């Protein structure tokens, strides 16, 4: 079979799997890495990705649009808003243009704590961050924000009495409705000090058939997670915060710059915004 548009290379073979990886279960982090064109994936991840590409052949562009939004958003948070501490929830495997690299290009003193549930993220993150004193990575479940905020890593690197930013890029849509995403957002917002920011970006159900087809591919194609939410549902996650201009919009419309792909084929499938606690 031809490799889907924009997907990665052959990836890893089973013999290189660390013992904590179950080769029969796909991982969101590795599927995302494959879709972005990375190398950290196994056969099971590539099989699951095939369902996504069958539903929307431009799925790789959707992931790239998200990464480009993240780049612009972190540039805003550090460059314009003056944020010096970032908690990145569901941070993903290291890729091109990691959050700490974007932040440090503007201010090398920014502290970053990466959080992800996937064991490979910890392994690769540790290797990447070996010589970093400002940035660390921990394994934790975003559904337990108290454990994250009370962790040693966060207490050491982030002074939550001062303004900081929480990034939730491409993570809430991996929480099903019965996992109470709104309750989780409320718990995170309760931890924000005045002047802090909350970045949220998600798959968008803008009432077009492709969103429904891709959601079905995510939910029923083997991954079991990937909920496309409407504008109203996504806006609810920001309740109680003031929205940074231009508000909750298509991700590519959030302060686009020269690198942003105008006319992206996946423009209407992804929304993003940043809220600020007054
Ligand atoms: N935030 C990055 C970005 O936007 O490019 C990566 C997004 S990737 C689609 C979603 C990440 O969330 C994966 O790395 C996955 O392992 C992680 N994840 C999924 N469920 C999680 C959970 N309950 N707790 C922590 N991380 C989770």
């Amino acid at each position: 079979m031809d490799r889907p548009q924009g997907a990665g290379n052959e990836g890893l073979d089973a013999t290189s799997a660390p013992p904590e990886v179950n080769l029969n279960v796909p991982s969101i982090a590795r599927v995302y890495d494959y879709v972005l064109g990375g190398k950290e994936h196994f056969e099971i991840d590539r099989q699951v990705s095939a369902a996504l590409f069958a539903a929307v052949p431009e799925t790789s562009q959707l992931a790239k649009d998200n990464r480009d939004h993240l780049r612009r958003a972190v540039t805003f948070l550090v460059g314009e808003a003056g944020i010096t501490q970032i908690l990145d929830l569901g941070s993903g495997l290291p890729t091109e243009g990691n959050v700490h690299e974007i932040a440090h290009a503007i201010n090398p003193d920014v502290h970053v704590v990466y959080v992800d549930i996937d064991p490979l993220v910890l392994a690769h993150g540790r290797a990447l961050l070996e010589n970093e004193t400002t940035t660390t990575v921990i394994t934790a479940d975003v559904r337990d924000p108290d454990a994250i905020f009370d962790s040693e890593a966060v207490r050491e690197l982030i002074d939550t009495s001062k303004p900081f930013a929480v990034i939730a890029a491409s993570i809430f849509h991996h929480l099903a409705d019965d996992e109470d995403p709104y309750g989780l957002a409320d718990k995170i917002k309760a931890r924000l000090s005045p002047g802090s920011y909350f970045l949220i970006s998600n798959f968008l159900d803008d009432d077009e058939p492709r969103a429904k087809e891709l959601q079905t591919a995510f939910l029923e194609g083997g991954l079991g997670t990937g909920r496309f939410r409407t504008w109203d549902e996504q806006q609810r996650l920001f309740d109680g915060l003031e929205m940074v201009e231009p508000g909750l919009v298509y991700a590519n419309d959030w302060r686009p710059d020269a690198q942003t792909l105008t006319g992206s084929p996946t423009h209407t499938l992804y929304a993003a915004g940043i809220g600020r606690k007054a």
Side-chain angles (χ1 to χ4, degrees), residues 15 26 31 67 70 85 88 94 108 160 171-172 220 231 246 250:
T15 56
V31 166
R67 291 301 305 182
L70 188 57
Q85 329 183 78
D88 186 0
T160 53
I171 174 73
F172 273 102
E220 294 167 22
W231 290 111
Y250 295 129

Side-chain angles (χ1 to χ4, degrees), residues 124-140:
H124 288 272
R126 278 197 177 141
L128 176 74
L129 301 170
E130 206 179 7
N131 300 318
E132 282 284 344
T133 52
T134 58
T135 303
T136 195
V137 54
I138 60 170
T139 299

Side-chain angles (χ1 to χ4, degrees), residues 27-30 32 36 63 66-67 70 88-93 95 115-118 121 140-143 167-171 173-175 179 201 270:
S27 122
I28 298 162
R30 299 191 316 253
Y32 186 64
L36 274 174
N66 170 41
R67 291 301 305 182
L70 188 57
D88 186 0
L89 303 176
S91 51
L93 284 157
T95 183
V115 179
D116 204 284
I117 204 167
D118 195 294
V121 173
D141 190 330
V142 294
R143 292 167 295 186
I167 295 178
S170 229
I171 174 73
H173 57 229
H174 292 302
L175 300 181
E179 293 175 296
S201 65
Y270 209 82

